[in-house]
Amino acid sequence: MICPACNTNNDSNEEYCINCGQKLIESEQAEEIPESKLKIPKDKIILLDLNYTLISNSWAIRFEKFPQKINKRKYEHELINLIKDNYIILITASPYETSYDSLKHIEENTDLKIDESYWNFKKRPPALKKYWLETAVLPTHGDDPEKYLAIESNEKTREMYAEFGIVARPKGDFI
C-alpha cells in the first residue's frame, strides 16, 4: 500500500506507514467512551501521542504533504488545558525530519510545553514507542508505572504500554 502522505510503499496489511506514521487503515472498531470523563492527575508524566491525539484534525489532513501538513494542524485545546501543568513526553510515529517544524508549530499555536520528544526512525508505532520507552523514558524517569499516563490513539500501542503496567487511554476518555 502506498502512503498517500509520503508515497512510501508499505506492506498491504500495514495500519501505519513505516516512514511517516500516517494511519493507512481506518479501524472499524469504535472506541468505547466512558459516560463521565476521566480526570488527569497533575502528578503524572504524560506520554502523549501526536497524530489522532494532540492533533484534532489528523484525519482531515492525512493526505497532505509535509510541510503543508504541519501548517494545517489544529490541536485539541481541551486536552491541552487538562495536561499543560504535567510533565509532557511526546512520543510520535511522525518522522524525525519533521520534529523541529512540528515542535515550533505546537509552541506557536498552543500553550503546551513539550518537555521531551521522541520521533520515528522507520519503525511501526507500537515497536517504536516501546523502543523509546525502554531506551529513554524509563531509564531517565524510572520504571514505576504509577508515574505515567499514556494518552494514545493506537490500540496496539496502548496494549504495549499495559505490558509495562502503564495506564494508556484514548483522548476521548478525557475530553
Side-chain angles (χ1 to χ4, degrees):
M1 170 178 288
I2 303 293
C3 175
C6 72
N7 294 319
T8 299
N9 192 13
N10 293 272
D11 292 340
S12 61
N13 61 343
E14 293 299 330
E15 186 177 2
Y16 294 88
C17 176
I18 185 71
N19 183 49
C20 71
Q22 168 65 47
K23 194 169 193 175
L24 300 171
I25 300 171
E26 187 62 24
S27 174
E28 294 177 21
Q29 185 177 358
E31 293 289 342
E32 214 175 288
I33 299 172
E35 288 184 32
S36 61
K37 300 300 179 182
L38 301 174
K39 302 288 182 215
I40 298 176
K42 297 297 179 198
D43 64 341
K44 298 288 186 186
I45 296 172
I46 304 297
L47 306 175
L48 184 63
D49 176 37
L50 179 63
N51 298 306
Y52 301 94
T53 299
L54 181 59
I55 299 171
S56 64
N57 65 335
S58 291
W59 187 251
I61 63 171
R62 69 191 182 281
F63 297 129
E64 297 287 334
K65 306 285 187 234
F66 291 107
Q68 297 88 347
K69 184 176 196 168
I70 294 170
N71 294 326
K72 291 184 178 183
R73 288 177 175 165
K74 294 186 169 124
Y75 299 99
E76 290 287 2
H77 291 282
E78 188 177 351
L79 178 63
I80 289 167
N81 286 334
L82 295 175
I83 65 173
K84 67 183 179 183
D85 295 329
N86 293 72
Y87 191 89
I88 307 294
I89 301 175
L90 182 73
I91 308 177
T92 178
S94 290
Y96 174 76
E97 297 79 24
T98 67
S99 63
Y100 176 81
D101 291 335
S102 294
L103 290 170
K104 184 178 176 191
H105 195 264
I106 292 168
E107 181 181 317
E108 291 173 349
N109 291 278
T110 73
D111 57 350
L112 183 65
K113 180 182 179 288
I114 304 294
D115 296 289
E116 296 175 40
S117 66
Y118 299 97
W119 300 78
N120 201 342
F121 55 95
K122 303 205 186 295
K123 283 187 175 266
R124 288 167 182 83
L128 171 79
K129 293 182 181 189
K130 182 176 183 179
Y131 169 84
W132 287 124
L133 188 65
E134 292 179 326
T135 61
V137 175
L138 297 178
T140 302
H141 299 282
D143 61 3
D144 178 3
E146 294 298 315
K147 287 180 160 184
Y148 305 98
L149 172 63
I151 306 176
E152 172 63 51
S153 66
N154 184 322
E155 182 179 354
K156 290 179 180 142
T157 303
R158 291 195 304 267
E159 291 170 5
M160 177 279 297
Y161 282 130
E163 292 172 13
F164 288 84
I166 296 171
V167 172
R169 313 285 305 210
K171 68 181 175 185
D173 287 2
F174 305 103
I175 60 173

